[in-house]
């Protein structure tokens, strides 16, 4: 840990403590769908629900709706409704949400870069533990 990180105020939060509310935030941003929404919006800018759904293959309408609500509740994205026919709804990261893009983007890139190694490790584990 660098000196800058060590000096950052944590406002008394400690995610290692069972009762720490920061754990709920980690649950949200550690969720695969939330992570993918954050990266998609961070890299591509504001998107409509249908665009997010098409961009993030495999996410159900229900799960995407829940994910967007959780991220909005935590102040990580905004939902803008534009009155038109049909009504237009856009989702965009807030500055707080944008502050996560680089970190979560690196995690996504790491997973993509190391997936072959992880697959090999899983195969070896399964061979040795069946």
């Amino acid at each position: 840990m660098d000196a800058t990180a060590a000096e950052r105020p944590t406002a008394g939060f400690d995610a290692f403590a069972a009762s720490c509310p920061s754990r709920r935030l980690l649950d949200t941003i550690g969720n695969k769908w939330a992570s993918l929404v954050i990266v998609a919006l961070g890299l591509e800018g504001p998107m409509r629900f249908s665009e997010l759904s098409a961009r993030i293959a495999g996410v159900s309408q229900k799960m995407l709706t829940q994910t967007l609500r959780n991220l909005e509740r935590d102040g990580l994205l905004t939902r803008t409704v534009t009155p038109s026919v049909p009504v237009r709804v856009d989702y965009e990261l807030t500055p707080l949400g944008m502050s996560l893009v680089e970190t979560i983007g690196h995690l996504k890139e790491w997973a993509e870069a190391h997936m072959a190694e992880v697959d090999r490790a899983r195969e070896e584990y399964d061979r040795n533990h069946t």
Side-chain angles (χ1 to χ4, degrees):
M1 181 181 329
D2 63 0
T4 308
E7 293 170 5
R8 287 189 195 128
T10 59
F13 295 111
D14 178 5
F16 288 113
S19 62
C20 185
S22 64
R23 284 192 176 190
R24 289 191 308 273
L25 180 57
L26 287 172
D27 281 342
T28 298
I29 62 177
N31 173 282
K32 70 180 173 187
W33 301 123
S35 296
L36 293 172
V37 166
I38 290 167
V39 173
L41 292 174
L43 297 177
E44 300 174 26
M47 298 174 84
R48 298 174 78 171
F49 186 95
S50 59
E51 294 170 321
L52 280 166
S53 183
R55 181 70 179 106
I56 304 171
V59 66
S60 69
Q61 182 174 351
K62 179 182 176 183
M63 187 53 64
L64 183 56
T65 298
Q66 285 179 321
T67 299
L68 292 168
R69 284 183 183 152
N70 289 338
L71 293 172
E72 183 179 14
R73 182 172 185 256
D74 287 342
L76 301 175
L77 66 77
T78 57
R79 178 180 183 269
T80 303
V81 178
T82 304
S84 61
V85 179
V87 173
R88 180 182 176 102
V89 180
D90 291 287
Y91 297 90
E92 182 175 11
L93 292 179
T94 63
L96 183 61
M98 283 299 292
S99 72
L100 282 170
V101 173
E102 185 176 357
T103 300
I104 294 176
H106 285 307
L107 185 60
K108 174 190 163 291
E109 291 166 6
W110 183 92
E112 293 166 347
H114 294 281
M115 196 60 234
E117 294 168 80
V118 171
D119 277 341
R120 284 192 297 277
R122 288 175 177 172
E123 289 169 9
E124 181 178 339
Y125 179 90
D126 291 345
R127 271 194 311 275
N128 296 326
H129 294 87
T130 53

